[in-house]
Structure formats: structure tokens, C-alpha cells
Amino acid sequence: MEVTYENKPEDIAAILHGLPWADRVKDFWRTLKVLLSAWPLAVLLVILSEWFFLACLLSVVSICALLLTILYWRAWASLGKKAKVIPGPQTIRLLDDYLETTTERGASRRRWNNVPRVQDLPNYVAIYVQKVRAFVIPKRYFSSPEEAEAFVARAQSLIAQGLENPSPLLDWKTFREDNHLDQYQVLEHLKWEPQPGLYARLATMGIDLDGKNQVPTAWGLGKQLILPGILATLLIVLRYQVGIESDILYFLTLSMTSIFLLVFGMQWHSRSQFLKELSAQQEVDRPEEAWLYDQGVATITEEGIGFSRWSVLDQVSDDREAIVIYDTLPFVYLAIPKTSMPDPEKQSELLERLMLCVDIAHDRHEEIVLAEVSDNPYQSPTT
């Protein structure tokens, strides 16, 4: 059973409408949690009985929460209109062992035990491959409502069967031959061990090229708390032992302590977010093998196999630990640990070539001169 369809940006709104409210609220709360960075300062103001300053702090936090709420819901409402879609026709096939998708810009096969759910929405069929990522099939591409219902029933049946009796691992050689990948130039074939910490850091902190955007450590947070701890103790002594609560020294010390505690709160928030993301990433099956071609990248996991052309990937970025390929910013499509390719010169050459492939695919250069260095293994073959 199969269906061929095309997506428009507004079709992606079907994913949002299909999400349970619990997931929507959880996502919204994740956005607001950054405001919890103010808690160390709030605790100090309570200890000092500085109710006026505490009221001012809570007012600022409330205003920020209101602004974040407005921005969040505006982004949520516009996502369906501005969402990135794969142009051109897409075909989805419901096969016994896996879900197969093919487009002009890529292909994938996914085992049914790794397809979370299928939703039958009023105007769409949504086949989720992650919590908020799905193939959205407009029902207008089915010949009748009955055919759409049969398609949903078949998909749900295959998911149930896959959970009860998982299908065998998909064969890379068969996928490669079926999608004619051998016609492309292989730039590199790499394998590596699972690294959930790398994906958690990228999701939490973003790209860290020079080591200045690292995840705060527990030891680092402890050291960062020493100076504000001393200043807070001094403030308590000045207020409750000496009786000074309006002196210039008191307010200067309070101002300095407030700044230090706000910075500490931000660092604490970053670390707590990293730990939660790390726990989530340990449950995600990330690629541990990749075939890099001049026309795209193929990834292999226990969940399935996929190939995406460079034209559907946003950009390639350099990180101190990995070469990072983004699907749609800020979503990481693939992070290739540099430990899988220890030679720094080879890393640099591959990064440069991958960035060039993406630029060519997106027509970002009016004129592109390919590498002509004879010892560059990634240069294009002469014609």
C-alpha cells in the first residue's frame, strides 16, 4: 500500500494540531524555565528581607514571562506557515518490515517498531517518526475517505506487529542498490561509538568551536559560588549584626552579589538543561555510521537507514568535537565525532568539502571553484 503526495508549509500545522496538550504544555514550560535562573538572587533577597527589591525582581521576571509567552505562541502559530518542507512529490510505502519514503531529494526506510504512532486527523494522516516530527499526508491525495481509513488502519496494524515481533535490521547494501547510490562519489565512510553527550551539548549549548561555550561542570559551579557566597555573608552581617541597611557600601555589595548570583543562576540552568537533555538523548537511536557522498549523506541506525541530498540540509558547521550537519536549524541531523577521523588535516579537508557541497546544492555561490590540490582526497574528479 502506498500514496504519493506533495506538502505545503501549512500542512505541517497538522503536526502541531496532533500533539497532545501535555506535550505542548511541557514544551512551553521548557521555554519559561530559563527564568528560574533568578532563584539564587530571590533566595538572598528573602534572607535579607529586601521585599522591595524582591518585588522588583518578580515584576521583571513576570514581564519576561509574558514576553516569552507572546513570542512562543507567535512562533507556534507561524510554524505551520513558515515550516520547511521537502519540495516535490513524496511516496510513502507501507511494507511488511518497514516504512519506506522516497523523494527526489532522498529516501529512508524505518522499521515499524521504531514508528511511534499514526494519527488520523480531519484533513491529514500524520505518521510520526519522532515526538514532533512526522510525515504529513494530506487526505486529498487519497482517492476516497475509505482509502485513507484503510491506509491508517494498515499502518497502525504494522506498528502493532512490529512492536510484538520486531523486524530484522535493514540491509545497507540493498538500500544502496535500490536507491542507486553507487553512482555518486564516496567522500568518506565513517563509524563511531554512540555519543549522547555530544548531541546533548549541541542541543543545550550549541556549537563550541574554541572551547568557550562549554557545559558548566558541578565543580565549576561550586567555585563560581564562592565569591557571591562571601559577599552574601557580608551582607547578612552588615544588615543583622552591624545594622547597616542603607549605606552605600551595603548597596554596592548587594549590586555586585546580585550580578554574580544571576550569572550563577544562568550557568546552573544550562547545566540542569544539559543533564535532562543527556537523559533524553540516551533514549534516542542516533546514527553511528555514515556514508558521505558528493550528492548527500546516508546514515545507518538500528531504527533504519536514510539518505538525504545536500539540498534538504541547512548547513555544515565546525565544532571542537564534531563536524555538525543541521537538518533545519537548530535541529542536528548528524554529528560526526572527530575521533572517528583522528587526522586534523583530514578533518579540515572533509569539513571544507562538505560545506562546499551544501553551498553548491543551495546555490549560495555565483561562482564556485572546486579544489585542485592534487593531494586532496575529496576533490571532484576531472572531467
Side-chain angles (χ1 to χ4, degrees):
M1 183 174 287
E2 68 178 59
V3 60
T4 299
Y5 65 98
E6 290 190 44
N7 275 139
K8 298 178 180 179
E10 54 266 27
D11 295 335
I12 307 305
I15 299 179
L16 308 181
H17 294 307
L19 281 176
W21 273 103
D23 289 339
R24 302 190 198 188
V25 172
K26 189 182 299 183
D27 186 60
F28 174 60
W29 172 241
R30 189 180 300 114
T31 302
L32 290 183
K33 283 181 70 174
V34 67
L35 299 177
L36 294 178
S37 303
W39 74 265
L41 177 55
V43 170
L44 176 63
L45 294 177
V46 169
I47 293 174
L48 296 175
S49 301
E50 292 288 358
W51 308 118
F52 173 75
F53 291 117
L54 179 62
C56 292
L57 176 65
L58 294 178
S59 298
V60 171
V61 169
S62 300
I63 293 172
C64 291
L66 178 60
L67 291 175
L68 284 174
T69 301
I70 294 172
L71 292 174
Y72 178 86
W73 289 111
R74 283 187 62 184
W76 186 271
S78 64
L79 185 60
K81 300 176 182 178
K82 299 179 181 179
K84 174 183 175 182
V85 298
I86 298 176
Q90 305 177 60
T91 299
I92 287 187
R93 297 181 182 88
L94 309 182
L95 303 176
D96 291 340
D97 291 332
Y98 53 84
L99 170 70
E100 181 179 67
T101 63
T102 56
T103 73
E104 295 178 355
R105 307 199 181 195
S108 68
R109 290 175 181 174
R110 194 178 190 90
R111 300 164 68 205
W112 284 110
N113 56 306
N114 292 299
V115 177
R117 59 196 171 102
V118 177
Q119 274 198 321
D120 187 5
L121 301 169
N123 298 310
Y124 301 93
V125 174
I127 302 179
Y128 284 81
V129 292
Q130 294 179 17
K131 185 172 69 173
V132 293
R133 306 198 78 176
F135 298 112
V136 182
I137 309 169
K139 286 188 175 179
R140 61 181 178 271
Y141 287 95
F142 293 99
S143 60
S144 66
E146 290 74 22
E147 184 184 18
E149 291 177 4
F151 187 89
V152 172
R154 176 61 175 164
Q156 292 174 337
S157 174
L158 288 169
I159 291 175
Q161 293 176 21
L163 292 174
E164 185 175 348
N165 297 303
S167 57
L169 295 177
L170 300 177
D171 182 60
W172 159 247
K173 183 178 179 181
T174 302
F175 178 87
R176 187 179 66 199
E177 292 174 350
D178 291 346
N179 290 280
H180 311 291
L181 299 186
D182 289 332
Q183 65 181 310
Y184 306 134
Q185 179 192 2
V186 178
L187 303 180
E188 195 66 67
H189 171 222
L190 298 170
K191 290 184 179 181
W192 55 88
E193 294 298 319
Q195 298 203 19
L198 172 60
Y199 282 93
R201 178 177 65 78
L202 290 170
T204 306
M205 307 299 295
I207 291 292
D208 181 18
L209 181 58
D210 51 11
K212 296 181 180 179
N213 194 29
Q214 300 185 43
V215 176
T217 63
W219 173 246
L221 288 176
K223 291 192 298 182
Q224 199 175 72
L225 199 57
I226 293 176
L227 181 56
I230 294 173
L231 293 175
T233 303
L234 177 60
L235 285 169
I236 294 173
V237 171
L238 288 174
R239 183 172 180 86
Y240 294 111
Q241 297 296 325
V242 182
I244 297 176
E245 57 184 68
S246 59
D247 187 79
I248 186 67
L249 173 63
Y250 176 83
F251 286 115
L252 282 176
T253 305
L254 180 59
S255 299
M256 291 177 57
T257 309
S258 300
I259 294 173
F260 285 129
L261 288 178
L262 286 175
V263 172
F264 170 80
M266 292 292 292
Q267 294 292 303
W268 168 84
H269 171 74
S270 296
R271 176 154 182 83
S272 63
Q273 288 297 100
F274 168 76
L275 293 176
K276 290 180 180 179
E277 186 66 30
L278 178 60
S279 177
Q281 288 292 336
Q282 289 172 342
E283 304 296 326
V284 178
D285 186 18
R286 290 289 189 174
E288 302 168 22
E289 181 178 359
W291 288 77
L292 301 166
Y293 294 90
D294 61 340
Q295 296 296 318
V297 55
T299 57
I300 304 172
T301 69
E302 290 188 4
E303 292 183 352
I305 302 173
F307 173 76
S308 294
R309 291 184 178 272
W310 295 116
S311 56
V312 297
L313 301 173
D314 266 358
Q315 70 179 49
V316 178
S317 299
D318 189 19
D319 181 81
R320 60 184 172 85
E321 288 187 275
I323 295 175
V324 184
I325 302 174
Y326 284 96
D327 179 1
T328 301
L329 288 170
F331 300 108
V332 175
Y333 177 80
L334 177 66
I336 306 172
K338 290 184 176 179
T339 53
S340 65
M341 192 169 39
D343 184 358
E345 184 176 349
K346 199 172 182 181
Q347 294 171 9
S348 179
E349 290 172 348
L350 180 60
L351 173 67
E352 182 180 345
R353 183 58 199 273
L354 295 184
M355 294 174 73
L356 182 61
C357 288
V358 174
D359 286 341
I360 294 173
H362 289 274
D363 296 324
R364 291 175 183 162
H365 290 268
E366 295 181 4
E367 181 180 356
I368 299 176
V369 181
L370 297 178
E372 295 180 355
V373 182
S374 59
D375 61 350
N376 184 350
Y378 306 112
Q379 65 179 324
S380 296
T382 56
T383 56

